[in-house]
Each structure stands twice: as structure tokens, then as C-alpha cells.
Amino acid sequence: MSREDIQKIKKRLNFDKQAIIHIYRICKLLVTHEPDNEIFSKTVHNLLYAISKILEQEGVFSLLFVKSDIYLNKARIQQNITSFSASEYLIKLFISRNIGGFEFYVLPDSRELLLFFYSLIKYSPAEGVDAIKVFEDLLELSGIRNIRVLPTQAVEQVIPDEVQVLRDYKKKTLVIYQSTIRFLKDALSSKDYISGIDMRNAKRLVNQMVDLSGHNVENFSFWGLSAIKNFDEYTFNHSVNVCVLAIAFGNALGLPKRRLAELGLAALFHDIGKLTIPKKILNKPGQLTSEEWDIMKQHPLFAMKLLFNMHGYSESGLKKVIVALQHHMNYDFSGYPRLILEKKLHLFSRIVAIVDTFDAMTTDRVYQKALKPDDALRRIISLASKKYDPVLVKAFVSSIGLYPPGTLVELSDGSIAVVLKSNPQYENIERPIIKIINSPSERLKSDIINLAETQSLQIRKSLDPEEVGINTPHYLFNE
Amino acid sequence: MYYIKFDMGGEIGTNATKINEVKDIIISFVKLKRAQRIYLPNNEILQKLHIELVHKFKKFFMEDESISLLITPTDVYYAKSLVYSNPDRSESLAFQLYSNGINGITFYKGVEDKELFDLISILNIDMLDEDNIEDDIVTLMWSREFNFIEYSLRDDYFVQNPHANDIFDFIQRDRKDRQEKSGDKDLEFDPEELEPPPVIPHNEIALTDDEIEKIRSEVDYEDESALQIGMLDVLLELLFHERNQEEISNYINIIEKFVVNAFVEGNLRIFNALIMRYSEHKNGVFSSSDVIVSLYDKIISDLSSEPRIDELVDMLNTTYHQGLNDVLLYLLNLKKDIVPLLLRRLPDLKHVSYRRVFCEAIAQNGYDYVDLIGSKLQNAPEVIIKDIIYILGKVKNPKALEYLSKAMRFPSKELRLEAVSSIGRYRDDNSEKYLVEALLDADLDVRTSALRNIVAHGSFKTVNSLINFIGTDDFNRKSFQEKRRFFLALAKLAGPAIVNYFEDLLLNQKYQSVQIENEIKMCVIAALEMIGDHASLDVLKKAKAKIKSALSEQIENAIRNIQK
Ligand SMILES: [Fe+2]
Ligand SMILES: [Fe+2]
């Protein structure tokens, strides 16, 4: 991705994603309805509006369907869970028609657009014919002159990510991550944290994370940042990881930037109530007595009072309060604190409840060995509906992948690899992009392989990095 | 904010003209920034400066695609040339940006007027103000999501502790050299949950279309009032169960601030929702708690106090987005005895629509304050007197009629008109008496309105007063149109009962002049046509036989219309 592309994508304000969803709706309806049906008018109107916004900015509207991605004017469209099924459908549709995509320079009218998609749905290319040629004739016959079809293209032709951009991106994520941990440590270690937390700086850091999470970078995933464990004291490291995971997850859910920032901030401070718990209890080596547990269970309430007194009652302040208060309540309200009037947990609390557990389970502690990420996911899945929102659990697993970034795995050929990034299609949930660390076959060493494209290789099982003696973040962040 | 390194901008060999243009742009920018602090948004000088700046940008962008500026603590550079410098930190644009961590700013071709203005507004926000505790220039610029303005941040902005662990070292290090595991206890999960994980069937983790739709709706729609109401529920429940005195006062403090904050933040809609919920609870689940009940009263009392009403007036004078209904509901939620306060502040409200809302609220609580309200008819600007007359019409206290009858003697026609409709809201003998009196008003509009109000009352008693009026000199002097309106009103009020009287006017009455005779007869014919029953038809037929003049055509038309 180049600087110009980033600028371009930023200006699109989601009109790209909206266009994809509208095209998807139209295509699905065209399977069962004639194009002159009234049913289309609203969606086509919305589609034309989104397209006109893009045309206004960029002068051309060119969609290319390549492998698992859609490129608008050569810049990859960011996917999220809610736009994903639409993209998947359209990619399959275009690939099955042997057509790479389409473009136009002037805004087509609604009749043209509908007829174009209608032709696409109804048309099936015969073996061995030039699909583009045949389809062009078809368009000519229907009087569609403004829309041009494009041949299929390989990924490489579409603009590969620049190496320097990738390197800078990784470096920047680490810098922000480290800065956030240090910020939190400095802020919370000082005695007067009650008045002393500089929310402005917290917000700046979280905003930068939100920006970083929004870029789809080749072979690297923002989720991977949370694979860094025990870099600093647990509370700080954990809080920042929960923040990273919440932003990554919120992004996958399609939350807009500003709400992502609120979510990230709330996640960062979800455990702030622990500050008021005596260190004696917090760091007690042995079992806690039941009185001590009772005190521990006060941390959401402590947090609520603390945050209210600290940062007032603004709307974003309130979201921090609600997340800190609700993150242990559980989906079925069996957790704590127990409140009878609560009927529905806030979306942010349901998100943080999941990522909070995920990070805690996957971190080594004095009294407990870390679970491997995929095992932690299985645990979380088994507790869906009881502790976690079942729909969000599904969304979480499908966006982080069954082997989350940072998982150490053994492949079917005996190689050892680190998961770099998950693939978005559901059928590839067990087939992420990996980096080989160690392989019986010399050729593969330090290769990056997309298992979705290499069906001959599978993940056999996940490994415990400690047993193998591998520092997984090293492979995520270094070339 | 972008992770891409900021480049110095400007091509090598950028000529002096360009550099001067950029200098000029920055001068304009700084001027506009200063002006914005001094002048109100609609000020002419301010607007001129704004247009000037936009114009300079446009001119520059005729050839170039962007302007990238490098920021240092005292200077601004464009294409490696100094374009702005100011050693005075308190005034320096460079220092303001740099001290906030910004080391570069880029304007792209297409930058909108609104974006420039908003950027300057952000730079002018007083960051020491307590309301801005969560934001600074950078977070505000971030939230504003500029399309054509971009900034880059210094990497060293957050360097706090040079001796702390370094993340780059950390990820290089071998697993063996890693620091100790942390010991901090946590309750994220129960250690019991760590038994061997089950195998998950794949179909259990695939999202269905319905589930995706569910996520989409939650992502797209944010219910702010649900969040606030949920919070109130929690706080009240916690307070209800709390036994520790210190904690109780802590919760009371929090709840009070929380509810009042909705008002302070100017979100009256949320405030209304909260207070409604609170009132449900205090009369329901928590009715046994004296603490909760008295806290409610305390909150309402606080917001009904004079300083709070002053705050409200200030708020309404500076914002435009409050829903009228929200404001009204808010006022009605307060104590009834705010009426004198509202009356006093009424003249200070700038927007007519908010003034009307105040009037409405005063009126709804005003029954016991009728004398106070009536006393405001003096010594006030005409618009306010008009509002007072409006209020008097709605307080539902018949005593208001005395004040309104006085208002009928105001020289201003507008005021008398308002008074007639206010009188019209009362339905008693007095109000009818005043309305009939108003038929003698000097102004046609006032008389018409009085007539309309009399008809709207539909009281038969008035008919006599009206009949008595016909034939007076006052009546004869009125225009044909007004006479006609008068007769139609009479027909509407009295219906078939008045047909005999009309017959008399049409066939037997003697008139002062032919002109008046013709006018009145035409009016009667129209009135009979409107009543349209058999008796009216008979009268018209008799008239047809008897009257041979210009009127006969109108009579025939009327007959035809009734028969239809
Ligand atoms: Fe917690
Ligand atoms: Fe936690």
C-alpha cells in the first residue's frame, strides 16, 4: 500500500464497503427477480450514491476481484465481519464467470447497472471461449456502453505492499504498544493516580492504535501484538493487550473509528479497580481465603467509583465505567457484581469479557500455565451463552482464526511455524498464513506460506512455545 | 495519523514564488486564528479573513497537489525553507503544534472551507478548561476526521523512561532469558476452567446470516439513552443495598452528579429519560428507600434553582439543536414554583421558538401565578407582552380574562389580536362578552378574529348580541366582505333557528340606502345558502318571486346549489 492509497482509502469514508454490500444485495435479488422489479429501486439508488461519491473523489470506479480480496481503484478494501459474506459471494461470482472485474468513468444510470449485474448472473461462459469478449458482446447488445469488464488478474499485478511500508508499520505498532504500557505504568504507579491519569495521552495512544488496526497489511496482523506477554508487570501488559484485542475485534465487527477509540480506552482501563485492592491480596502466593476473594470481586465496583470520581460523567467516560463494571458479570448474569436490574450488557462489555479472558488464559502466571491460543479459544467457545455472548464468540473466532496470530504450530510435514495472520474465509478458519521456523525440508525454511493456497500442508497441532523454547513475537515482528 | 514517515514536502527547486505563497497562507492562517478568538462567528472581519485564506489555498492548489509543512518548536518549514517563525511560545503556532507532538502537517488540494475553520477552532480551544479533560489538539483533530488535512506525530512524544524495558530488545531475546512470570492474581477466569479443552464441531462457530445481521444492527446503531438508563439502574440498585454510611453518601454524590451532568452537558433528552426512569423507580421498586426518594427531590430542587435556570437560558441562547419538546419536558420535570424565575428570564431568550416553550411551561404551571403573570403586561417590550398575553390565554384561570380585557385596549394591533385569541381560549360568559366587544375594534383583523372565535365557541347566547349589532351605524360602515363574513358566522352559530330572522331581512326590512340594502341582502342569500335546509330554500323561492333586480341571479344560483 502506498501513501497515496492510504490517503485515497481514508477519503472513501466507508462508501467502498457500502457499495460492495449494495452490489451483493442486488446480485442476490437478481437470481430470483427480473431487473425491472420495483424491489431494486432503493438499493440501486443507494449504490449509485456510494459510487458517485467515489467517482467524485477519484474520477474512476474500478472493482477488481482477486483471490480473497476486492480492490477498488487498485486499493484493497478492508473487510469486516458484516461485509465479509458480501465480498465472498461477489468474488466467487466473478471468478466463476472468468471475469476480473469492471470499471467506469461516468456514473451509469440505474437501468445500465441493473442490466449489467443481470447479465452477469444469467451468463455462464462456455469452456475455452474468451469470456471477456463474449461478455462484451452481451453488454453491447443490451446497450450498456459505459461499463467496461476487466480480465482476471493475478495478485502481483494489483500492487504489492511496499517492503518499507510493512517494516515501518511493524515498528510503529511496537512503539505505540510500548508507549502505552509505559504510559499506564507511570500513570498507575504514582500515588495520586486518582487525579493524575492523563486521559489525553491515553486517548492519543489509543487513537494511534485504532489507526494502525485499520490497515490491512500483507502477512501481518494487528492481532499479533497481543502475543507479547510478560514484557512488563502483568496488570499493565494485560491491560494493553486487552486494549489491542478489543480494538482488533471491534474493527473486525465493523465499528466506526470513533467508537473503536472509545472501546479501546474502556478496555485499557477495565481492571483499574485492582489498584484499590491491597497488594498483599493481589500478589499472595498461595490460595486466597474466601474473604480475600470477596475483596477481589470488588474490583469492578472500585473501578466504577474511581472512574466516576476521576473523569466525570461524559459519554465516553461512562463507557469506561460500564465496561469496568460489567466485564465479569457474565452473559447469563451469573458473575459479579450481581445486579437484578441489569437486563443487557453493553456491547463493549461483552467484547471486553471475551478478549479479557483470552489474554489472561494465554499468559503464563506463577500459579497457572498459559493455554495455547487455540485451546483458550476452545475454552471460550465451550462457555459461550453462559459467560459470553454466543454470537460475539463466533465472530471472535472467525476473525482471529482458530489458530490466532502468534500461535506456534506443527505442520503435517513436521515443520514448526508461527501463525502470522488468519484468512478471512470461513472454510480457511484452520488455514492461516504462517511463517516456517524450522522444517525438515530445507526449501521451506523461513518461508511465508498461505495455507489457504497450499492444500497439501495442514496444521497438525499447536505447540507450547516454552517447551520448544521459541520466542514467538520475534517471528511476528522481524523480517 | 499515519505510520508512514513524514517527508519534508515540496519538490526540490521549489521556486521563491511558491515559498512566498506559503508564507502568505500561514500569515492568513494565523490572522484568522486570532480573529476567531475575538469575534463572533458571523462577524464580517472574521468572514473576510476566512474567505481570504480559502482563496489563497485555492490559488496555490491550482498548480500543486499539497502543502506539507515541517514543524519545529519555533519554526515552520516548507520545502526546506523557513516560512514561519515566532520565538514567543505563548503566541507561536509552531510551538503550539510541536508541543502537542505534531511535527508535520499537510493540506491537500480540495481542502474544504469547513475543514480549515474547524482546524482553527480546535487550535483555539482552551485546553485548560475543565470540560476538556479528555481531549487535546491531537485527539480533537483525530475525532474530526479531516479528509484533506493530515498531520504526523513525533515518535519521541511518549518517551518517558529511558531505562525501561525496550520492546525491540524484548522480542529479540531468547525465551530462556525472559523475565519472571508475573504473579498478580486475577479473576478473569476460574482455574477450574482449565481442564482439557473439548473439540469444537465446526458448524458451531460459523456465523449465520441472521447473526451477522444482528451484529450489523448493533454496530450501526448506538443507543445512548440505553447506556445512561442502564447506568442509573445500577447506581440506584447499589445505593438501595448499601448499608455503609460513607458509601451511601458516596453513591448519592455520584448519582446526583450523574443525573445533573446530562443537563450540564446540554443533553436534555437524556436528562428527561433519566428523570423519568428515576421517578418510575422511586415510585416502584425503590419506593421503600427514603434515601432514594429524597435524593430525587434534591436533584429536582437543585435544577429548579435560580443559577440552574440561568444556565439553561445561557445554554438555549448558544445552542440550536435542543428539541423543543425536550426543552418543554425538561421544564415540566422541574418544580412548579419555577414560574417566577421563568417569567423573569423570558425576555432574555434569543430564539423565538425557545421563548414559546418557556411560555408553554409557564402556562402549564401558571394557574396560581395569574396575578404575577398579569402584572408583566406593563413595562416590557412588545414581543414579551405578546408572550404574556399568550400565556394568560393558557393558564386556565378565568381571572386571566380581566388582564386580557385590559390588553384589548393596547394601541398595538398585534397585541389586541393575540388578546382576542387568548380570550377565545376561555369558554364562559365573560369571554364571550369580551369577544363581542372586540367586534367594535378599530381594526378589521381583530374584528374578524373575534368573529371567528365567537363562531368557534358555538354558543347560541352570542347570537342575540350579534343580531343587535346588525343595523347599527357601526355595522353599516363595515366593508361588504366583513358584513358577509359576519352573516356567515351568524348562520354557522345559529343554524336553522335564524332562518326566520333572515327572511325578515330579505323580504320586509327597510334600509337606509339602496347600497346597504343590496349588500345585506346579498349577505343573507349567502347565509341561507350555507344553512341550506328546506326552510332556507322556501325563503329563497319566495324572494325569487318577489325580488326582480340584480339579486335574482344570485338567488337562483343559491337555490340551484341547495337543490344539488
Ligand atoms: Fe477484571
Ligand atoms: Fe482483566
Side-chain angles (χ1 to χ4, degrees), chain B residues 220-461:
Chain B
D220 289 349
Y221 175 68
E222 192 178 16
D223 186 352
E224 200 207 335
S225 58
L227 169 74
Q228 303 256 358
I229 285 175
M231 195 72 242
L232 180 70
D233 286 351
V234 170
L235 289 168
L236 289 177
E237 188 172 344
L238 290 167
L239 173 59
F240 187 73
H241 293 296
E242 189 58 62
R243 289 293 161 263
N244 176 317
Q245 207 47 52
E246 202 183 317
E247 284 298 306
I248 287 177
S249 52
N250 193 11
Y251 279 127
I252 286 179
N253 190 16
I254 290 176
I255 294 171
E256 192 180 352
K257 279 194 193 150
F258 170 68
V259 177
V260 172
N261 182 68
F263 164 77
V264 174
E265 291 226 317
N267 201 336
L268 298 183
R269 194 179 57 83
I270 292 291
F271 175 86
N272 293 335
L274 284 177
I275 215 67
M276 208 157 95
R277 177 68 148 218
Y278 196 148
S279 141
E280 257 168 47
H281 281 326
K282 92 174 155 96
N283 298 321
V285 261
F286 301 134
S287 58
S288 62
S289 162
D290 293 343
V291 178
I292 288 179
V293 173
S294 62
L295 176 57
Y296 178 89
D297 296 337
K298 183 166 177 252
I299 292 172
I300 295 296
S301 295
D302 170 30
L303 291 175
S304 307
S305 69
E306 186 166 359
R308 292 297 193 186
I309 298 295
D310 290 348
E311 269 179 64
L312 176 72
V313 171
D314 288 347
M315 182 206 301
L316 295 179
N317 279 341
T318 47
T319 52
Y320 301 80
H321 63 266
Q322 299 291 352
L324 299 181
N325 251 336
D326 295 331
V327 181
L328 180 60
L329 204 58
Y330 173 79
L331 291 171
L332 295 180
N333 274 322
L334 301 183
K335 290 169 71 178
K336 285 202 186 315
D337 61 16
I338 53 165
V339 169
L341 286 174
L342 296 186
L343 269 174
R344 192 183 323 147
R345 295 307 309 268
L346 188 64
D348 305 327
L349 282 167
K350 283 192 209 147
H351 306 301
V352 189
S353 43
Y354 291 145
R355 239 178 37 227
R356 276 279 134 139
V357 170
F358 263 50
C359 292
E360 215 60 60
I362 296 171
Q364 294 208 30
N365 290 327
Y367 188 95
D368 296 332
Y369 294 92
V370 66
D371 290 325
L372 181 71
I373 299 168
S375 73
K376 300 280 173 188
L377 283 174
Q378 274 131 34
N379 304 327
E382 184 170 322
V383 277
I384 300 302
I385 294 186
K386 195 173 166 194
D387 286 342
I388 299 293
I389 294 173
Y390 173 82
I391 295 169
L392 286 169
K394 292 194 110 186
V395 285
K396 298 207 171 94
N397 186 335
K399 228 182 146 192
L401 279 169
E402 287 168 31
Y403 294 100
L404 289 170
S405 75
K406 276 179 208 150
M408 282 307 300
R409 292 198 281 277
F410 280 127
S412 156
K413 165 196 163 184
E414 288 297 314
L415 295 181
R416 297 202 309 275
L417 258 182
E418 189 73 37
V420 167
S421 45
S422 278
I423 292 171
R425 291 183 202 277
Y426 291 88
R427 306 260 156 127
D428 59 19
D429 293 351
N430 265 340
S431 77
E432 277 167 22
K433 191 181 91 196
Y434 294 134
L435 286 174
V436 172
E437 276 175 26
L439 291 173
L440 298 172
D441 195 278
D443 186 86
L444 172 66
D445 292 338
V446 177
R447 296 194 299 267
T448 310
S449 169
L451 194 60
R452 206 174 289 133
N453 276 290
I454 289 170
V455 176
H457 277 214
S459 160
F460 197 72
K461 270 183 274 175

Side-chain angles (χ1 to χ4, degrees), chain A residues 7 10 82 172 178 182 200 204 230 235 259 282 293 305 319 340 350 365 379 426 471, chain B residues 2 100 127 135 150 165 167 173 178 182 184-185 187 193 202 216 218-219 222 237 247:
Chain A
Q7 183 62 26
K10 194 178 164 204
T82 58
K172 190 84 191 182
Q178 165 164 287
R182 285 184 185 168
R200 292 173 173 176
R204 288 170 81 118
N230 291 326
T235 307
R259 283 177 74 196
L282 213 55
W293 276 117
K305 292 175 214 166
K319 285 177 187 165
I340 38 162
R350 283 174 279 139
R365 316 280 282 281
R379 275 272 127 237
Y426 175 68
N471 179 17
Chain B
Y2 290 95
N100 272 281
M127 293 300 169
D135 281 299
E150 207 177 284
N165 273 349
I167 193 108
R173 238 178 287 159
R178 300 281 282 273
S182 0
D184 188 349
K185 281 263 189 291
L187 289 178
E193 287 165 16
H202 264 203
R216 198 177 280 158
E218 258 195 288
V219 162
E222 192 178 16
E237 188 172 344
E247 284 298 306

Side-chain angles (χ1 to χ4, degrees), chain A residues 270-271 274 299 327-328 356, chain B residues 186 188:
Chain A
H270 79 283
D271 267 340
K274 284 194 192 157
H299 81 272
H327 75 282
H328 292 294
D356 183 25
Chain B
D186 203 345
E188 263 82 27

